[in-house]
Amino acid sequence: MKVVILAGGFGTRISEESHLKPKPMIEIGEKPILWHIMKYYSQFGYNEFIICLGYKQYVVKEFFADYFLHTSDVTFDLANNSMKVHNNYSEPWKVTLIDTGLNTMTGGRVKRIRPYVGDEPFMLTYGDGLSNIDLKALEEFHRSHGKTATITAVNIGQRFGVLDMDEAGAIHAFREKNDDDGSLINGGYMVMNPSVFDYIEGDDTVFEQAPLRNLASDGELMAYRHEGFWKCMDTQREKQQLEEMWQSGKAPWKIWE
């Protein structure tokens, strides 16, 4: 199953760093948060990635083009114009980087990668959120209910769209948060069938609005409940919190050696 990662936005809420690079390239432990997300998926056997780019896309492309320079020891022999890479561990990844437009909305970005996904279900997530979700259990849940889309519901009091759902995980509405709501929100880490593309009109479509609302009203949206760790890096403060977790050696998403 391919993994689609949304990594093209401007990241305006963390502009202290995003004016220099896309938000998914902001570093946690000297590695882009995008790398952490991909490492996590890889631990569950998901190694084929489609990354939706837009703002400062060249930064992401250069990172993967020079991946060994970022992750290995290197000797440059200037006299002989040669380079030798030492201890080069290559990730088992196939990475497709797609220009989905500078000002394209999230739904439009998803729509644009349709030719690269094919006719099979695919994972979909954001390039700024970390979790310790059981991805295999998420996939199994999605395949079990037969609906078009599965999103991960997490318990946290933040400023995102609210899910009205029943005990079985069926979502009946997806709407904006108000003062009377609880704290179940869409934490990303989604699974989609190809029929989801029919719910997206074009570049101006915000995936979190009409597509998810229409999926819910059609009975085609389900939620996988995750009660473990989840955190979105939306501000400098949240970036620092993730950095502190990493430096402490107790980052919940680090399940690799």
Side-chain angles (χ1 to χ4, degrees):
M1 185 177 285
K2 298 180 178 70
V3 180
V4 177
I5 303 178
L6 293 164
F10 289 95
T12 52
R13 292 194 186 97
I14 192 169
S15 59
E16 298 94 332
E17 296 195 47
S18 64
H19 73 287
L20 297 172
K21 63 184 75 171
K23 184 162 68 165
M25 296 303 291
I26 294 174
E27 295 180 347
I28 305 295
E30 299 186 337
K31 291 287 195 305
I33 190 171
L34 177 63
W35 178 89
H36 290 264
I37 294 168
M38 294 171 71
K39 283 286 286 187
Y40 189 79
Y41 271 98
S42 188
Q43 299 309 299
F44 289 85
Y46 304 103
N47 291 307
E48 188 166 353
F49 299 92
I50 301 168
I51 303 179
C52 303
L53 303 178
Y55 175 67
K56 294 188 182 297
Q57 59 178 287
Y58 65 89
V59 178
V60 184
K61 291 178 178 177
E62 288 176 353
F63 175 79
F64 286 104
D66 295 331
Y67 191 78
F68 288 133
L69 295 181
H70 292 282
T71 58
S72 306
D73 298 328
V74 183
T75 296
F76 293 96
D77 187 337
L78 302 183
N80 294 305
N81 191 28
S82 65
M83 179 185 78
K84 182 178 182 180
V85 178
H86 307 280
N87 304 318
N88 57 325
Y89 173 75
S90 58
E91 305 286 352
W93 300 345
K94 178 181 179 181
V95 185
T96 303
L97 305 172
I98 305 300
D99 176 8
T100 54
L102 181 62
N103 296 303
T104 308
M105 297 293 102
T106 48
R109 296 190 191 282
V110 174
K111 185 92 169 183
R112 285 200 185 197
I113 55 85
R114 184 174 191 171
Y116 301 93
V117 169
D119 296 324
E120 299 179 355
F122 61 95
M123 294 278 189
L124 173 65
T125 196
Y126 302 102
D128 61 359
L130 292 168
S131 179
N132 63 353
I133 181 174
D134 185 335
L135 294 172
K136 283 298 183 184
L138 169 65
E139 179 184 348
E140 291 170 5
F141 174 76
H142 177 78
R143 293 187 184 279
S144 71
H145 60 63
K147 305 296 185 181
T148 297
T150 299
I151 64 178
T152 295
V154 297
N155 281 287
I156 190 165
Q158 286 200 14
R159 54 193 177 281
F160 302 95
V162 173
L163 312 177
D164 286 338
M165 54 187 285
D166 60 28
E167 290 300 319
I171 297 175
H172 303 292
F174 187 96
R175 54 186 172 75
E176 295 304 307
K177 183 176 173 60
N178 63 53
D179 292 339
D180 298 324
D181 286 318
S183 56
L184 271 184
I185 63 142
N186 173 18
Y189 290 90
M190 301 169 273
V191 190
M192 302 286 154
N193 289 344
S195 53
V196 74
F197 295 118
D198 297 334
Y199 286 83
I200 304 171
E201 290 192 6
D203 283 358
D204 294 332
T205 303
V206 178
F207 187 71
E208 299 76 15
Q209 295 180 3
L212 288 185
R213 290 171 183 165
N214 291 335
L215 282 163
S217 65
D218 289 349
E220 290 295 323
L221 183 62
M222 298 290 286
Y224 175 81
R225 295 174 184 261
H226 174 62
E227 298 180 355
F229 171 79
W230 177 88
K231 195 165 192 64
C232 175
M233 187 190 69
D234 211 27
T235 65
Q236 190 67 26
R237 179 174 177 270
E238 289 163 341
K239 186 262 188 190
Q240 186 58 40
Q241 290 171 340
L242 291 170
E243 182 70 34
E244 290 171 358
M245 292 179 194
W246 182 265
Q247 295 301 336
S248 73
K250 298 179 181 179
W253 69 90
K254 186 181 182 300
I255 58 174
W256 58 89
E257 293 298 328

